[in-house]
Amino acid sequence: MNSIALASAIVALSFSGSAVARPHARSHAAPHGAVQAKIEYCQICHGESGAGFYGYYAIPRLAGQQPGYIENQLRDYASGLRHNPIMSGVARGVTPGMYGAIAAHFHSLNAAPLGGRSGGNVALGREIFANGLPESNVPACSACHGPDAHGARQIPRLAGQLPVYLVKTLSNWGRERGRQSAGGLSAIMVPTTHNLTAAQISAVAAYVGGLR
């Protein structure tokens, strides 16, 4: 199955409410004080407004992010399905009962994009986002992430994300995330990222990074 056809299948599954995310037992909610302490810990790097941060590393925006996506990433970091030397340790210090509250908090924030150009061609990025690159077997980003790039359920919001972070993530997708991470949704991105050139990745990052 080519990546465009696979994208359509995954979108249909996700938006029909089927169990795209890995099934898991619903944990009892953690005490409010413990959850608040973890949120404040997250804010040290991601910012009080959740807008992200340009430091030695570009730290991603969490403001407005889809709760299902945040929860999936915490599980993947904790289990080792997604690899990051910092976040893997952080996620292991968060109990599953805290996932929902942490995700809901950051989803509720509406920070303005930090900006910071990736050096990409915004017009090209807009075209790829809206229509894809059929000749390169790259589906339209909007097919999964929505026309406003806000995502849905387990599919992440891209609007306002730090362009430098997006370039790094898309360029290293196969090394950082396995096909089984995020309940299998990451699989669609493997061929897509491999079929994008560095200039095309920068273009998409420049475009979505400026969206509100």
Side-chain angles (χ1 to χ4, degrees):
M1 180 182 292
N2 65 36
S3 65
I4 294 178
L6 184 56
S8 300
I10 287 179
V11 172
L13 286 172
S14 176
F15 286 85
S16 68
S18 62
V20 176
R22 290 184 305 281
H24 61 280
R26 179 62 64 182
S27 302
H28 294 296
H32 175 76
V35 172
Q36 187 58 36
K38 290 298 182 183
I39 288 173
E40 291 172 3
Y41 185 78
C42 298
Q43 290 172 337
I44 293 172
C45 291
H46 294 277
E48 186 173 346
S49 67
F53 181 73
Y54 281 113
Y56 185 77
Y57 298 106
I59 299 172
R61 172 193 178 99
L62 297 181
Q65 188 55 272
Q66 293 294 329
Y69 177 77
I70 293 177
E71 293 191 49
N72 272 345
Q73 300 315 301
L74 287 171
R75 290 188 197 98
D76 286 349
Y77 280 129
S79 69
L81 285 174
R82 182 174 176 184
H83 309 291
N84 182 286
I86 296 174
M87 278 304 303
S88 295
V90 170
R92 292 187 186 108
V94 179
T95 64
M98 297 180 179
Y99 290 175
I102 292 172
H105 170 79
F106 284 104
H107 176 68
S108 72
L109 302 179
N110 188 30
L114 285 185
R117 295 182 61 82
S118 69
N121 183 323
V122 174
L124 174 61
R126 182 185 300 110
E127 174 64 21
I128 296 172
F129 184 87
N131 300 311
L133 297 166
E135 68 281 6
S136 299
N137 202 26
V138 172
C141 308
S142 60
C144 291
H145 297 277
D148 57 2
H150 282 197
R153 300 181 183 177
Q154 292 85 32
I155 298 175
R157 173 187 174 128
L158 301 181
Q161 190 57 268
L162 278 62
V164 173
Y165 173 78
L166 282 175
V167 169
K168 172 184 173 293
T169 300
L170 293 172
S171 300
N172 294 282
W173 194 276
R175 291 188 291 274
E176 184 178 341
R177 310 186 196 208
R179 289 179 177 269
Q180 299 307 311
S181 64
L185 281 176
S186 290
I188 183 58
M189 289 299 298
V190 175
T192 297
T193 54
H194 286 177
N195 291 338
L196 287 167
T197 67
Q200 290 164 348
I201 287 175
S202 292
V204 172
Y207 171 63
V208 299
L211 299 179
R212 183 67 187 263

